[in-house]
Amino acid sequence: MRYLTFALGKGRLAKTTLELFEKIGITCEEMKDKDSRKLIFVNEDLKLRFFLSKGPDVPTYVEYGAADIGIVGRDTILEEGRKLYEVMDLGFGKCRMCVCGPESAAELLKHNQLIRVATKYPNIARDYFHNKKHQTVEIIKLNGSIELAPIVGLSEVIVDIVETGSTLKENGLKVLEEVCPLSARMVVNQVSMKMENERITRLIRDLRAVITEK
Ligand code: PRP
């Protein structure tokens, strides 16, 4: 039997993903060692391999077949636009992609002003403003701490992830419009879906059973 390889995004989703896999009997003890610099982990009995990568790289590994399966946020799937199958909503990591800014920016959105939009997600932001709202905007790509942009005057609004809303609140910003809901998803390489259909279908079925149990 060949190894089935999983790409997991480092960070918030990884821990919950491993907990979910444990519930269906898929464990990988060596992955829990926080001090380890190892990048890839193997479960010999089940013929599974796991690796952690930067979130936005997960769809890349899956499209090229370097990983059969990826666990990643819907934000990253939409932003990367890779060729892969999105097979399952894992039901955790729930949050929203939103247009945010100071209250005063609401007017600019209403009147289709030419505004600047700072974001880590230029493709999602462009799709939303150009294709859905038909509003011409200038998109400025940032790599983090997006909430800073309207505060220091880099942009009028931001397109960013809102989970609890506390980052916005603490910085005097508000949700002005909702772009779409987000959560963790399982994605599968298109060839793997055919070649490993039985194993992958069983995995999806087992995961569904423990997710709906909650
Ligand atoms: C994300 C997001 C917001 C924050 C939202 O940033 O970009 O800043 O979390 O969460 P909240 O609504 O619960 O406050 P993250 O912490 O991942 O880091 P980043 O700023 O480097 O993107």
Side-chain angles (χ1 to χ4, degrees), residues 12 120 144-145 147 160-167:
R12 296 184 188 206
K120 206 153 86 173
S145 303
E147 290 83 358
D160 199 18
I161 292 174
V162 179
E163 193 180 354
T164 61
S166 55
T167 311

Side-chain angles (χ1 to χ4, degrees), residues 167-181:
T167 311
L168 290 178
K169 205 167 164 206
E170 283 180 35
N171 292 289
L173 304 173
K174 290 204 149 124
V175 171
L176 302 172
E177 291 175 1
E178 184 173 323
V179 178
C180 62

Side-chain angles (χ1 to χ4, degrees), residues 49-192:
R49 299 198 300 171
F50 299 88
F51 66 82
L52 290 170
S53 74
K54 287 271 187 190
D57 295 339
V58 169
T60 312
Y61 283 106
V62 174
E63 179 182 298
Y64 285 92
D68 301 286
I69 293 170
I71 307 294
V72 68
R74 181 170 182 238
D75 51 317
T76 305
I77 299 171
L78 294 173
E79 182 61 25
E80 296 300 314
R82 294 279 175 185
K83 275 179 74 181
L84 34 79
Y85 295 133
E86 186 185 319
V87 296
M88 198 179 171
D89 184 343
L90 297 171
F92 61 87
K94 281 197 177 138
C95 49
R96 302 178 292 156
M97 186 66 75
C98 296
V99 181
C100 312
E103 185 86 65
S104 58
E107 280 297 304
L108 304 172
L109 290 171
K110 230 188 273 164
H111 298 111
N112 274 21
Q113 300 271 348
L114 173 56
I115 51 170
R116 287 191 293 202
V117 180
T119 185
K120 206 153 86 173
Y121 302 92
N123 292 326
I124 294 176
R126 198 172 299 112
D127 179 64
Y128 180 71
F129 280 101
H130 293 186
N131 301 334
K132 279 214 196 85
K133 293 201 65 190
H134 307 291
Q135 179 169 4
T136 309
V137 296
E138 183 178 343
I139 290 166
I140 303 171
K141 159 89 201 251
L142 291 178
N143 295 294
S145 303
I146 317 296
E147 290 83 358
L148 260 178
I151 297 170
V152 298
L154 176 66
S155 70
E156 281 77 26
V157 299
I158 60 174
V159 166
D160 199 18
I161 292 174
V162 179
E163 193 180 354
T164 61
S166 55
T167 311
L168 290 178
K169 205 167 164 206
E170 283 180 35
N171 292 289
L173 304 173
K174 290 204 149 124
V175 171
L176 302 172
E177 291 175 1
E178 184 173 323
V179 178
C180 62
L182 305 169
S183 60
R185 305 291 160 104
M186 179 166 141
V187 294
V188 177
N189 171 269
Q190 295 188 338
V191 176
S192 305

